[in-house]
Amino acid sequence: MRYTVTFLEKDYEALEAHLANRSDEQAAFLICRISRTDNETRLLVRGCIPVTGNEIIEQSPVHMKIAPLAYTRAMKRADDEKSCLIFVHSHPNGYPDHSSQDDIEERKLFRTAYTRIRTQGVHGSLVLTPQGFSSARVWLPDGSTADIERIRIMGRRARFWFPKTGTAEVPSFYDRQVRAFGPDIQHLLSRLRVGVVGVGGTGSCVLEQLIRLGVGTISISDGEMFESSNVNRVYGSRVVDDTLPKVKIAQRLAADIGLGTTIELIDKPITHQSALKKFRDCDIVMGCTDDELGRSLLNSFAIYYYVPVFDMGVKIDSQDGVIRSIQGRVTTLTNGAACLHCRGRISAERVAAQARRETDPKGAKALEDEGYLPELGEPAPAVVAFTTAIAAGAVTELLHRLTGFMGPDRESTEVIYLIDQARIRTNSIASRHDCFCADADRWGRGDVRPFLDTTWRTE
């Protein structure tokens, strides 16, 4: 089991402002919801409680004594909010590890936490020096500890901290990429787990680029069989692959490239609860599905789990073989930014119609025949050059979030490609106040029942 912590950027900055650049030790408590899979327990930070004023009994550059009331208040809030607790304190002198005194005090603190907080999960502690996080661990119910494997900070950028960075040499075939971004980014890419939802025209191209960039682990979800009529735009496919599961073609593509990428196959669409749940292990998700129900679920997933989703699509308006317009889009779904509903990219009516078809096909057909349910449209035009352009645009947005190579002023959350006009537009829109994505109570909710507060099809 690996343990991780994920912050929203605004919460991390509030914590850093309280703890950093002070001559005496400072402390705070973090209230966290839980995401738990077979592989990872993820603590999602939802609130920060600074320790201030009369809650501090003693304070110096090398020690701090906190009033018991501060601990009990933080534990009560964690219990009331069905959350777990992280204790954070600073080492202004730069000492990177938990001290022996930290070990003694925290053992008592977390023994009490497991008694007072009824949430099923784990509690942890972090040390922050002037250079950033330097030590991180969870305390388990038996009084032992385990390292926190990574800390994510998600916002304008996607930042990661690993306590054990290692010194592995970068393979020589990444040399030119390292010349662009440096070795640290290459090491980061090798540690990332990225999800790809759908491996058709855009998804297969995104997958190939992620593999060649050096992403370490890729989870792929697609429940469809390949049709040879799509060979003109699905990367890695062959005419003889007709009726082969798309995920198998994706797996073969990774093996043929041979960079050692770990591939996890999910042979179901994310409209199956069991499929989407597997993406809780991912750091980032690339949304390459073309159905509105899947997009709506990814919308919620990004909000509930602090996992940025890069949603993309291409629309060709053509009549009688004459193209009127070609538009592509890459939208970054993240807390605080307008979601696909806010932007009008998906509609509640069409999402509900697709959900009805998933959960009750016979009833949906009857409603469709009676005109109460919108009919499914004809297959949309698709051209490999255009799907490739948008896939490359999505991967470029991901690289910018990781490196900031477009500069600090580039904070847009959507890029519109007017391909037929050779133009690109960007925008950054806040959540609509009456949309679910603006409801802060949903942010970082993590594991709830039902999953994502949604009704699911029977599997």
Side-chain angles (χ1 to χ4, degrees):
M1 176 65 69
R2 60 177 176 266
Y3 300 94
T4 69
V5 177
T6 307
F7 287 85
L8 290 183
E9 188 175 59
K10 66 178 184 62
D11 293 326
Y12 171 74
E13 289 177 348
L15 175 68
E16 187 179 43
H18 172 64
L19 295 181
N21 301 318
R22 310 238 183 146
S23 58
D24 290 334
E25 282 197 9
Q26 305 290 331
F29 297 97
L30 303 176
I31 306 299
C32 307
R33 292 293 288 262
I34 285 283
S35 166
R36 178 178 285 169
T37 70
D38 292 341
N39 303 310
E40 178 182 349
T41 295
R42 185 176 302 204
L43 291 153
L44 305 168
V45 178
R46 299 187 85 205
C48 176
I49 307 173
V51 177
T52 59
N54 58 11
E55 295 172 331
I56 302 171
I57 298 173
E58 296 176 8
Q59 193 175 33
S60 80
V62 294
H63 93 293
M64 186 177 188
K65 186 174 182 181
I66 300 171
L69 183 60
Y71 294 111
T72 56
R73 283 176 176 168
M75 291 179 195
K76 184 178 186 307
R77 177 171 165 183
D79 185 56
D80 289 345
E81 297 183 13
K82 297 181 174 60
S83 298
C84 294
L85 193 68
I86 293 179
F87 175 66
V88 195
H89 71 287
S90 63
H91 283 173
N93 61 1
Y95 182 71
D97 299 321
H98 286 85
S99 68
S100 57
Q101 189 62 34
D102 292 337
D103 296 342
I104 294 169
E105 297 300 328
E106 288 185 5
R107 185 177 300 278
K108 293 184 290 184
L109 165 64
F110 290 109
R111 185 186 303 124
T112 304
Y114 276 108
T115 300
R116 291 177 174 265
I117 301 172
R118 292 165 291 179
T119 309
Q120 294 298 309
V122 296
H123 310 294
S125 68
L126 308 175
V127 173
L128 193 76
T129 70
Q131 289 72 45
F133 289 115
S134 62
S135 188
R137 63 189 180 187
V138 294
W139 283 85
L140 303 174
D142 64 1
S144 64
T145 64
D147 289 339
I148 288 174
E149 188 263 349
R150 70 184 62 190
I151 295 176
R152 309 172 186 88
I153 303 169
M154 298 302 185
R156 292 162 294 183
R157 301 286 175 267
R159 290 183 280 165
F160 296 82
W161 176 78
F162 302 92
K164 298 178 180 178
T165 56
T167 56
E169 186 176 346
V170 176
S172 60
F173 37 72
Y174 293 121
D175 175 67
R176 294 198 179 191
Q177 194 164 289
V178 170
R179 289 170 186 265
F181 293 119
D184 289 346
I185 292 300
Q186 199 60 52
H187 285 302
L188 170 58
L189 288 167
S190 72
R191 288 173 170 265
L192 289 184
R193 177 185 287 266
V194 178
V196 178
V197 178
V199 280
T202 53
S204 62
C205 183
V206 164
L207 173 65
E208 176 147 347
Q209 291 182 64
L210 294 177
I211 293 169
R212 294 187 186 277
L213 280 171
V215 170
T217 303
I218 303 176
S219 299
I220 304 165
S221 168
D222 199 311
E224 294 183 350
M225 301 295 180
F226 177 71
E227 297 178 7
S228 57
S229 61
N230 297 329
V231 74
N232 66 320
R233 66 183 184 281
V234 175
Y235 282 71
S237 67
R238 306 171 303 193
V239 172
V240 295
D241 291 331
D242 194 53
T243 73
L244 190 68
K246 286 183 179 179
V247 292
K248 291 295 185 181
I249 296 174
Q251 183 182 44
R252 185 182 67 206
L253 174 65
D256 286 347
I257 293 173
L259 293 179
T261 311
T262 299
I263 299 292
E264 179 186 21
L265 301 182
I266 306 166
D267 60 354
K268 295 179 180 179
I270 58 164
T271 52
H272 286 76
Q273 180 178 185
S274 61
L276 186 51
K277 276 188 169 181
K278 290 184 181 296
F279 285 89
R280 292 177 296 163
D281 285 332
C282 292
D283 300 299
I284 288 161
V285 170
M286 311 300 285
C288 310
T289 181
D290 59 3
D291 72 279
E292 296 207 10
L293 176 58
R295 284 187 163 125
S296 178
L297 292 171
L298 287 176
N299 236 353
S300 296
F301 182 81
I303 297 297
Y304 277 58
Y305 287 96
Y306 298 162
V307 176
V309 174
F310 294 87
D311 179 79
M312 67 202 79
V314 184
K315 182 178 180 180
I316 301 174
D317 182 6
S318 177
Q319 186 173 19
D320 300 326
V322 177
I323 289 178
R324 296 174 173 178
S325 66
I326 309 166
Q327 292 191 17
R329 170 185 59 78
V330 178
T331 307
T332 304
L333 306 178
T334 186
N335 300 74
C339 72
L340 297 176
H341 286 289
C342 292
R343 297 176 183 273
R345 305 302 181 202
I346 58 177
S347 76
E349 180 187 22
R350 291 192 296 270
V351 169
Q354 289 184 14
R356 186 65 181 267
R357 290 187 178 96
E358 294 273 359
T359 57
D360 181 15
K362 290 183 179 179
K365 182 64 170 64
L367 288 173
E368 187 177 303
D369 291 342
E370 295 171 12
Y372 290 107
L373 208 62
E375 295 183 6
L376 295 174
E378 292 294 319
V383 178
V384 66
F386 308 143
T387 55
T388 297
I390 300 310
V395 175
T396 299
E397 288 301 303
L398 167 60
L399 287 171
H400 174 56
R401 293 275 167 169
L402 296 176
T403 68
F405 78 92
M406 295 185 195
D409 295 334
R410 174 60 154 71
E411 297 182 4
S412 55
T413 51
E414 187 171 66
V415 185
I416 306 294
Y417 296 83
L418 305 174
I419 297 176
D420 58 305
Q421 301 176 35
R423 293 172 54 209
I424 297 176
R425 296 202 313 253
T426 62
N427 65 69
S428 186
I429 303 172
S431 300
R432 203 178 61 220
H433 74 278
D434 58 343
C435 184
F436 86 97
C437 70
D439 181 2
D441 186 57
R442 296 178 186 264
W443 292 15
R445 274 175 64 76
D447 293 342
V448 294
R449 293 185 180 179
F451 179 49
L452 298 181
D453 293 318
T454 298
T455 302
W456 294 85
R457 67 194 294 177
T458 301
E459 297 192 39

